[in-house]
Amino acid sequence: MENGGEAKFPAFPYKPYSIQIDFMNALYHSLDKGGVSMLESPTGTGKTLSIICSALQWVLDQRQKDQSEKRVESDEKKGKNGEIGSDDEPDWIKNFVVNKDNQVDEKKSEKNKHGFASEKYKKRMNKDSHRDLFSRNIDEESFLENKECKRSVKKNDVVDLDDNEFLLEEYESEEEGGIGSLNSKRKGNKFTVNSSSEEEEDEFEEEEEVKLKVYFCSRTHSQLSQFVKELRKTIFANEMNVVSLGSRKNFCINEEVLRLGNSTQINERCLELQKSKKKEISKMKNLGTEGKVRRTKASSGCPMLRKHKLQKQFRDEISHQGVLDIEDLVQLGRNIGTCPYYGSRSMITSADLVVLPYQSLLSKASREALGLNLKDSIVIIDEAHNLADSLISMYDAKITLSQLENVHSHIEKYFGRFRSLLGPGNRRYIQTLLVLTRAFLRVLLNDKDGNRLNTCPDAEKGVRENKTFDSSMAINDFLFSLDIDNINLIKLFQYIKESNIMHKVSGYGDKMTTMQKGLAVKENGESCDHGSILSGFQALANMLLSLTNNDGDGRIIISRKRPSSSGEGAYLKYVMLTGEKIFSEIVHETHAVILAGGTLQPIEETRERLFPWLPLDHLHFFSCSHIVPPESILPLAVSRGPSGRSFDFSYGSRSSSTMIEELGLLLCNLATVIPEGIVVFFSSFEYEGQVYDAWKTSGILERILKKKHIFREPRKNTEIEVILMKYKEAIDNPAPKSGAILLAVVGGKISEGINFSDGMGRCIVMVGLPYPSPSDIELLEKVKHIESLGDTSSMEIPKLSISEEHYGGDVQSGFSILRSCRRRGKEYYENLCMKAVNQSIGRAIRHVNDYAAILLVDIRYASDSSKRSFSHPSSKLPQWIKESLVSATNNYGEVHKLLHQFFRFNKNRNCN
């Protein structure tokens, strides 16, 4: 590795700052070393561009090194047999080259002259594609892509359908005939578009190649689009093959499917259309040249995938146009008239760089569905400040009482109709499913005798008659308490996955509902509740799979909440607690995993939760300061308001009228001294609404509006863009007012992915400390689990019963659990709060010439840590903010004076 700095990374489009050079060198060194590294660089320091120029430069350097070594070896060997690679070459590079050559040879030898794979090859690929049952999220395609399964599809122009189409094919158990009688068509690490001929599928396979890849993932599509925008500034945009991946909901251009709105229903409908196409092709082949087939919308497949030539044109256009983000790909798909979702997926194998959301890479099922091969690759995870919680939450499972009612009712009706026609295998499994759903309903209804199950549609009444409380149980305790511990859940899950029962039962129920109630049928042939039936089945299958995890990997939450306008009522939920095994599968497969972010500290918590096998002194950690000079930021701990009252936004004090009024007076004063835009962050939408309504009633809102416009963050993400445009317009054209104030929420869209550079964010106001509610049972389970890491005796919490812990949902019981924590659990709770604070205040200061004030409004930011049960909040602030923090002011007058001086100085500095 050279020490040249700028010369080392020629792709950087500007003259890099010293901290950017340090960051790029640190990342380059991490890739040389391999394994897990954590790289921290404050937001607004050009982190994304530094990642691109360092990581992709390393890939180019490795390829050049590999090619030169191959040439030397070729000259030396002169036809002699020998090992590939030199002794000083890393093992992973040797393996990479050997595996590539072997795979090419195997492909050539194992396909016959007609281009079809040999039986030996097929068997190996089927074996490789067998699912690991630890995987949390079920690959939705695997329910549909079974060779022999026929999917029930409604036809628009046929009303009187024969019930035989809903009859399940005979299913054999593992003992009776292998793993079920239905074999999967999926091939390991292969992707094929569902096309009209096997010849076309083979054409896709021929394009496969093994090459070193970089996978870059982030949390949101907007962040991925920003990454692509930065990539276009470099030479790598023309030198690397890049593909952007996303969800069907973001990519779909079939208006009929898009109208479904819900992601699950869009996925289901997309796959159903493709399955219908395969079924229709099969029928045409069977009928021969003289047979006539009546085509319908449902049986013709998705119109965006009918012409394989258009998919090829789509790929050619991407190669011609260069790097495209999701919006570009969608527009290209619309222009050509072909599916951008499958078009982008088909380019994974040839890509050097794959840009994709968290879910697509971190979820094993998603990786398998996309055919991602992480072997010896580089994985870069951006915005990794909450990686552990994000990763673990992907493996949660939840089913509501209403979903259980729906599924149980439909299975009963289906079984009643087809019982005499079903084979013994299907009868046995369906009866087992009924036993299971009945047991789940009993626990939610708190009905040990099952008396209320006969009136399943009115089951919510049973919840209302019982005392509302939440409880948690270990998996084994849960199964034993319901007397279902003797059920083989793995085989039952396999049955749901392979037998096509979800679609048979849903299709039959759909037909009966339409006939009996006269429901309007949609244009695509589905009745109004078709999607909800399937989503209920999917939720049940996810829950079954969760119950196959190790007993200590997670907890079962039993919530008997009453239904309300703001809530969904009772539910069962599996909460995954450990991410070690999930993350290790990624680490052990790849060459290097880079965790990047603006605020990654404290790193010990992340290490303990995701990779505890890695000693702390072996973890490569890098952190740099901000590019802006100290005089460009003014962090202030504001402990008192204009009237002299202390600011205390703790849970017991924040709702008092005096506290809300004092905060309003503060905003009135800030509006007079701070130019352009002010972003105010509240702990929740509920509290923001409470404050806003109080200001409106008291007249404070009217006073603020005389100085600045006021905008509020909407709950719906789809409305945010409009609000931000209005906010920016009010700042760019302030007259007759002096700018605008944006009321936002910690943890909302604005706090996570929106940048407020220059006038958009001249001041960030953080109201209080946004600790998560201690009444949240899931949070408490995580706190207890984290507290127990490394020391099983560190926490003593009395249990109300041996197997089940009950929570009344009150805050005080949650606080008592937190107080009983000695270190890790309490640290985790504090970190959740301060990471949210750091993310929010990091929205300002986006470039070297930017400047902003940061007001931390609460006496706890300035109080003596010795008087607190938790550590001092300022100790967890980013170093670049902590170094400039004014932590003590006697009164608001001092705050106002400092703000006045700060903005006058920076205004004059930027004018000169």
Side-chain angles (χ1 to χ4, degrees), residues 533-725:
I533 300 170
L534 283 176
S535 62
F537 263 109
Q538 190 81 21
L540 177 63
N542 285 339
M543 181 60 70
L544 291 183
L545 186 58
S546 295
L547 294 174
T548 66
N549 285 322
N550 294 332
D551 191 48
D553 287 347
R555 299 279 289 184
I556 301 295
I557 306 296
I558 304 166
S559 177
R560 300 184 177 96
K561 292 178 181 176
R562 294 171 180 149
S564 63
S565 57
S566 60
E568 60 195 340
Y571 63 84
L572 288 176
K573 184 171 184 178
Y574 174 80
V575 179
M576 180 66 83
L577 296 177
T578 175
E580 178 182 346
K581 183 178 178 182
I582 304 168
F583 195 67
S584 68
E585 291 178 345
I586 298 173
V587 174
H588 294 156
E589 220 178 318
T590 57
H591 164 63
V593 176
I594 305 295
L595 309 185
T599 51
L600 296 182
Q601 300 186 66
I603 62 174
E604 176 62 12
E605 178 202 310
T606 302
R607 187 194 70 83
E608 285 188 334
R609 296 183 68 191
L610 294 183
F611 38 93
W613 67 86
L614 184 68
L616 194 57
D617 56 352
H618 288 189
L619 173 65
H620 182 209
F621 176 73
F622 170 83
S623 181
C624 64
S625 57
H626 211 292
I627 57 175
V628 297
E631 57 268 23
S632 294
I633 57 171
L634 179 63
L636 291 170
V638 182
S639 54
R640 295 183 181 275
S643 300
R645 298 190 188 100
S646 294
F647 282 123
D648 178 10
F649 292 97
S650 58
Y651 183 79
S653 306
R654 66 185 182 190
S655 296
S656 70
S657 57
T658 55
M659 196 61 54
I660 293 174
E661 182 184 6
E662 194 70 16
L663 179 63
L665 294 175
L666 173 67
L667 262 292
C668 288
N669 281 269
L670 295 180
T672 64
V673 70
I674 297 173
E676 301 176 288
I678 302 173
V679 184
V680 184
F681 284 103
F682 293 88
S683 57
S684 66
F685 279 106
E686 289 73 22
Y687 187 57
E688 184 273 340
Q690 181 183 353
V691 170
Y692 185 86
D693 291 342
W695 287 350
K696 191 174 182 180
T697 302
S698 65
I700 288 178
L701 191 67
E702 188 177 353
R703 290 175 58 183
I704 298 174
L705 283 169
K706 290 179 180 179
K707 292 290 183 181
K708 290 183 183 289
H709 299 278
I710 293 182
F711 299 94
R712 303 171 68 187
E713 177 175 0
R715 288 179 182 264
K716 293 182 179 179
N717 289 343
T718 53
E719 299 173 0
I720 286 179
E721 189 174 344
V722 175
I723 294 297
L724 289 177
M725 287 178 61

Side-chain angles (χ1 to χ4, degrees), residues 364-383:
K364 184 172 183 178
S366 297
R367 291 199 303 274
E368 290 178 345
L370 291 170
L372 301 185
N373 182 4
L374 301 186
K375 180 66 176 175
D376 292 333
S377 63
I378 297 165
V379 169
I380 300 173
I381 304 173
D382 198 16
E383 300 297 329

Side-chain angles (χ1 to χ4, degrees), residues 48 221-231 233 755:
T48 301
H221 288 289
S222 61
Q223 289 166 345
L224 296 176
S225 294
Q226 180 63 29
F227 176 86
V228 171
K229 182 180 178 182
E230 294 296 302
L231 179 62
K233 298 176 182 178
N755 298 329

Side-chain angles (χ1 to χ4, degrees), residues 220-232 237 242-247 250-251 314 317-318 321-333 340-341 343-344 347 353-357:
T220 65
H221 288 289
S222 61
Q223 289 166 345
L224 296 176
S225 294
Q226 180 63 29
F227 176 86
V228 171
K229 182 180 178 182
E230 294 296 302
L231 179 62
R232 287 172 180 154
V242 183
V243 62
S244 296
L245 303 180
S247 65
N250 286 93
F251 267 119
F314 182 85
E317 276 295 320
I318 292 177
Q321 293 188 24
V323 182
L324 302 178
D325 62 15
I326 292 174
E327 288 74 20
D328 297 326
L329 291 169
V330 169
Q331 189 57 50
L332 178 61
Y341 175 76
S344 60
M347 299 191 69
L353 171 62
V354 181
V355 183
L356 69 173

Side-chain angles (χ1 to χ4, degrees), residues 331-575:
Q331 189 57 50
L332 178 61
R334 290 187 187 279
N335 293 342
I336 296 176
T338 192
C339 176
Y341 175 76
Y342 281 106
S344 60
R345 279 179 56 169
S346 68
M347 299 191 69
I348 293 174
T349 51
S350 62
D352 301 296
L353 171 62
V354 181
V355 183
L356 69 173
Y358 265 23
Q359 177 78 28
S360 299
L361 184 124
L362 298 178
S363 163
K364 184 172 183 178
S366 297
R367 291 199 303 274
E368 290 178 345
L370 291 170
L372 301 185
N373 182 4
L374 301 186
K375 180 66 176 175
D376 292 333
S377 63
I378 297 165
V379 169
I380 300 173
I381 304 173
D382 198 16
E383 300 297 329
H385 52 282
N386 283 326
L387 176 62
D389 284 331
S390 297
L391 175 65
I392 291 168
S393 66
M394 293 177 189
Y395 291 77
D396 290 349
K398 180 178 181 179
I399 186 165
T400 65
L401 178 57
S402 60
Q403 286 177 319
L404 270 173
E405 300 167 9
N406 208 1
V407 172
H408 182 81
S409 173
H410 277 79
I411 295 176
E412 276 192 328
K413 291 174 182 175
Y414 179 88
F415 193 54
R417 170 64 180 85
F418 295 100
R419 180 171 188 167
S420 60
L421 302 176
L422 293 169
N426 281 313
R427 283 203 303 271
R428 182 167 60 252
Y429 280 110
I430 292 175
Q431 286 174 323
T432 305
L433 277 173
L434 286 171
V435 168
L436 203 73
T437 53
R438 192 176 290 114
F440 287 172
L441 283 168
R442 275 206 313 271
V443 75
L444 286 181
L445 296 170
N446 202 19
D447 179 22
K448 295 180 180 179
D449 300 322
N451 294 328
R452 298 191 184 92
L453 295 183
N454 293 329
T455 56
C456 209
D458 300 319
E460 291 284 7
K461 295 179 180 178
V463 176
R464 287 192 286 270
E465 293 168 8
N466 286 283
K467 183 179 179 181
T468 301
F469 62 85
D470 292 346
S471 59
S472 71
M473 303 179 77
I475 294 176
N476 289 346
D477 290 336
F478 177 74
L479 296 176
F480 278 111
S481 68
L482 295 185
D483 198 24
I484 55 174
D485 54 290
N486 59 331
I487 295 177
N488 189 327
L489 296 175
I490 293 178
K491 287 177 64 177
L492 188 59
F493 168 76
Q494 194 80 4
Y495 172 74
I496 295 175
K497 175 181 170 182
E498 294 186 347
S499 68
N500 208 27
I501 187 173
M502 287 206 308
H503 302 289
K504 296 292 187 182
V505 173
S506 299
Y508 177 70
D510 197 27
K511 176 190 174 184
M512 296 306 295
T513 303
T514 303
M515 291 176 62
Q516 293 175 5
K517 296 186 178 180
L519 290 179
V521 178
K522 297 178 182 178
E523 289 183 6
N524 60 14
E526 292 179 306
S527 70
C528 297
D529 62 348
H530 183 75
S532 63
I533 300 170
L534 283 176
S535 62
F537 263 109
Q538 190 81 21
L540 177 63
N542 285 339
M543 181 60 70
L544 291 183
L545 186 58
S546 295
L547 294 174
T548 66
N549 285 322
N550 294 332
D551 191 48
D553 287 347
R555 299 279 289 184
I556 301 295
I557 306 296
I558 304 166
S559 177
R560 300 184 177 96
K561 292 178 181 176
R562 294 171 180 149
S564 63
S565 57
S566 60
E568 60 195 340
Y571 63 84
L572 288 176
K573 184 171 184 178
Y574 174 80
V575 179

